Amino acid sequence: METTETPSPAAVIVLAAGAGTRMKSRTPKVLHEIGGRSLLVHALTAAEGTGPSELVVVLRHERERVAEHLAEHASEVIVADQDEIPGTGRAVQCGLEKVTAAAGTVLVTYGDVPLLEAETLRELVASHEESGAAVTVLSARVPDPTGYGRILRSEDGTEVHGIVEHKDADEAQRAIDEINSGIYAFDIAVLRDALGRITTDNAQGEMYLTDVLSIARSDGRSVRAVVTEDVMMVEGVNDRVQLAQLGAEMNRRTLERHMRAGVTIVDPATTWIDADVSIGQDAKILPGVQLHGATDIGEEAVIGPDTTLRDTEVGAGAEVVRSHALLAVVGAGATVGPFSYLRAGTDLGAKGKIGGFVETKNAVIGEGGKIPHLSYVGDATVGEGTNVGAGTIVANYDGVQKHRTTIGKHVRVGADNVLVAPVTIGDGAATGAGTTVRKDVPAGALGVSAVAQRNVEGWTMRRRAGTASEDAARAALASEDRSAAGETAQHGAESTEENGQR
Ligand code: UD1
Ligand code: CA
């Protein structure tokens, strides 16, 4: 995302030390997710997009859990610890201790502002450096500024005298509708110096970062505000209501980005797509679809309706209908569903088919391979062009261990087979309906295990006497006798043949 036109800051400091008590959660606020990423990873993605030399995150509340999350998702960031002195000013001061740069621009952002984009930050750096200001704050005009710090401007409006916190503001100041977003560009030397001079002498007994602006101003430096029109972009998450609101807004923005890039989304209201999902041109997303994680949809694929895919790759022109997949691959031109469940390690080859009511796991299905109906296929390889008959189950688990089943190319597995793993069916082989495959079937062989059918006449009358089944059987036999008698009178031979089938 780094661009050459806009300058990169020397450092970005992301504040994430606050407790976030209004979330009422055991999970630290910045680890709550929208769009498939934590709030913190969203904030860091924007920060990284400015191409800073140093990226610092300030932690305190639930420090270990957040640091662990960082190690997993953003290992290049530097962690700074805030001490017991409260306030955004102290947080930045602790962050600055990890920054080696002596000159240049440092950006300050929050870990709980997920919609902020790198482009906005780059514009802030550019405007800050162009104007030669010591501080440039990103501000916004909002209908209800309650709770926010208010921007105090000079008479002509060009310079900022300072920021007054809501709790410290008088009646006239509270009427100001231009608020501090909490996102700033600072001259690093000015910031270091001013932070050394701020106190906790205010309504909240905290070190306010906002005091840096009035200090810089009274030192005769230039302090400016850049107003953003996009208020939601700078909004923070404080409770779960805002989490849902910003989550919905992020989704709306994600869907819009895909639609503008040539993806059809039939019903944006019921479609949820995570930030990291990629979708090819002319793919069609039907109502009720959720695409999560690193899911990748190929060009002209059709997904939905009512389908959830996580970390799943769908090839060009494939179709996935009313199904659920996790860590699966669906090849180009393949079809899945309706009502199937593709678990981790499912890899369906090009033009293959996983039809209705099929569950697969660790199953590699070759090109054109088909599992059309009502099956479970786990820990198995199915060769190209092979068809697995309806109702077939791969018994991969013996109660202790899982075993693998290998089915060759162009095999015809009959309906209702049980393949007891480990077992191998050779290329071009076939199995009869109802076969329990316990031994390997060689290439080209027919495997059959079902015994020949034997009908025990009158069994129900003897063993289920007095049941509705007996009544039904007796009635059927009586009517057969009557019609046999009638038909014998008319056409003799034919009716004998019919009776022979029963
Ligand atoms: C702050 C600003 C206010 C601005 C508002 C925008 C100050 C004094 N006030 O308000 O002008 O309108 O943000 O949302 O800066 N944090 C720390 N350590 C701390 C305190 C906070 O890291 O000791 C972090 C929090 O985790 C959070 C961010 O700083 O990410 C803002 O903290 P919060 O308490 O929400 O902001 P306010 O101080 O109310
Ligand atoms: Ca806040």
Side-chain angles (χ1 to χ4, degrees):
M1 287 267 267
E2 210 172 321
T3 66
T4 44
E5 303 103 68
T6 54
S8 291
V12 184
I13 299 175
V14 179
L15 306 189
T21 46
R22 279 177 285 167
M23 292 298 281
K24 304 214 165 103
S25 178
R26 286 191 196 99
T27 302
K29 176 166 78 176
V30 291
L31 300 194
H32 280 261
E33 288 183 4
I34 62 173
R37 290 180 192 154
S38 66
L39 299 179
L40 187 54
V41 169
H42 282 295
L44 292 174
T45 304
E48 268 163 8
T50 65
S53 309
E54 297 172 275
L55 176 51
V56 176
V57 180
V58 183
L59 303 181
R60 177 170 169 82
H61 179 75
E62 291 265 25
R63 192 251 187 231
E64 287 315 311
R65 270 185 79 182
V66 180
E68 213 173 277
H69 180 78
L70 286 172
E72 196 178 325
H73 295 98
S75 52
E76 67 291 351
V77 309
I78 303 157
V79 173
D81 288 292
Q82 187 175 352
D83 55 17
E84 63 292 336
I85 301 169
T88 49
R90 184 59 177 178
V92 171
Q93 202 170 32
C94 295
L96 267 182
E97 280 171 21
K98 299 278 183 180
V99 175
T100 59
T105 300
V106 55
L107 285 174
V108 172
T109 68
Y110 293 166
D112 59 6
V113 176
L115 294 187
L116 183 65
E117 282 175 13
E119 197 187 337
T120 302
L121 289 175
R122 287 196 302 261
E123 283 165 12
L124 179 65
V125 174
S127 151
H128 172 76
E129 294 187 355
E130 256 168 54
S131 73
V135 185
T136 307
V137 55
L138 192 62
S139 69
R141 293 193 183 279
V142 297
D144 179 12
T146 309
Y148 287 103
R150 309 298 206 284
I151 306 289
L152 308 177
R153 284 184 182 260
S154 61
E155 208 95 306
D156 69 354
T158 53
E159 282 285 320
V160 172
H161 287 309
I163 295 173
V164 61
E165 289 305 294
H166 183 90
K167 284 183 179 149
D168 301 285
D170 61 30
E171 209 57 26
Q173 290 167 333
R174 285 186 180 183
I176 297 169
D177 70 348
E178 185 181 6
I179 58 109
N180 168 25
S181 71
I183 296 153
Y184 323 74
F186 292 99
D187 176 281
I188 201 165
V190 171
L191 179 62
R192 274 191 206 277
D193 172 66
L195 281 174
R197 291 149 65 191
I198 62 177
T199 67
T200 55
D201 183 17
N202 52 55
Q204 300 180 79
E206 293 181 357
M207 281 178 72
Y208 286 170
L209 177 61
T210 45
D211 286 353
V212 168
L213 282 76
S214 50
I215 291 170
R217 186 75 198 118
S218 54
D219 285 352
R221 309 259 183 186
S222 168
V223 176
R224 295 187 164 252
V226 173
V227 186
T228 177
E229 299 299 319
D230 190 346
V231 177
M232 283 199 118
M233 187 182 284
V234 296
E235 227 163 76
V237 171
N238 294 301
D239 59 29
R240 301 204 203 209
V241 175
Q242 283 173 310
L243 185 73
Q245 284 166 345
L246 292 184
E249 178 61 15
M250 174 168 292
N251 187 56
R252 204 189 60 72
R253 291 179 184 208
T254 300
L255 298 183
E256 195 173 305
R257 167 165 60 84
H258 287 298
M259 289 189 279
R260 297 214 183 279
V263 174
T264 297
I265 295 175
V266 174
D267 184 20
T270 61
T271 304
W272 289 83
I273 299 181
D274 283 352
D276 291 327
V277 169
S278 55
I279 310 180
Q281 200 182 8
D282 284 321
K284 193 169 175 181
I285 312 298
L286 300 178
V289 169
Q290 292 153 48
L291 304 178
H292 295 300
T295 291
D296 180 356
I297 307 296
E299 291 186 356
E300 293 179 6
V302 182
I303 311 297
D306 302 329
T307 290
T308 300
L309 308 180
R310 183 177 293 280
D311 299 323
T312 289
E313 188 187 320
V314 177
E319 280 185 50
V320 182
V321 183
R322 271 184 222 281
S323 289
H324 191 107
L326 172 70
L327 283 164
V329 176
V330 175
T335 61
V336 173
F339 305 108
S340 281
Y341 180 24
L342 280 57
R343 293 163 56 199
T346 296
D347 186 347
L348 176 61
K351 299 197 181 81
K353 177 174 183 165
I354 291 176
F357 304 99
V358 173
E359 178 177 335
T360 57
K361 185 212 73 173
N362 268 334
V364 180
I365 299 145
E367 192 174 329
K370 293 185 169 66
I371 307 171
H373 327 275
L374 299 155
S375 289
Y376 172 66
V377 176
D379 300 310
T381 303
V382 176
E384 62 176 66
T386 285
N387 189 80
V388 176
T392 291
I393 303 296
V394 172
N396 58 324
Y397 186 50
D398 61 14
V400 183
Q401 270 186 303
K402 302 240 167 100
H403 300 282
R404 242 194 126 73
T405 295
T406 304
I407 307 174
K409 298 176 194 170
H410 300 285
V411 171
R412 293 288 168 267
V413 176
D416 193 30
N417 278 205
V418 178
L419 311 183
V420 184
V423 77
T424 298
I425 300 180
D427 292 349
T431 62
T435 300
T436 299
V437 182
R438 296 179 186 276
K439 292 191 299 191
D440 291 356
V441 179
L446 171 69
V448 188
S449 72
V451 295
Q453 183 173 331
R454 181 168 71 97
N455 295 338
V456 181
E457 304 278 346
W459 182 88
T460 302
M461 276 64 81
R462 291 193 302 279
R463 307 298 294 268
R464 294 292 180 268
T467 64
S469 300
E470 185 193 10
D471 296 344
R474 285 197 188 283
L477 293 170
S479 94
E480 275 167 22
D481 286 349
R482 274 194 306 276
S483 66
E487 279 171 18
T488 308
Q490 285 169 13
H491 322 277
E494 258 178 51
S495 65
T496 310
E497 202 178 319
E498 258 180 40
N499 280 345
Q501 285 184 353
R502 294 195 200 262

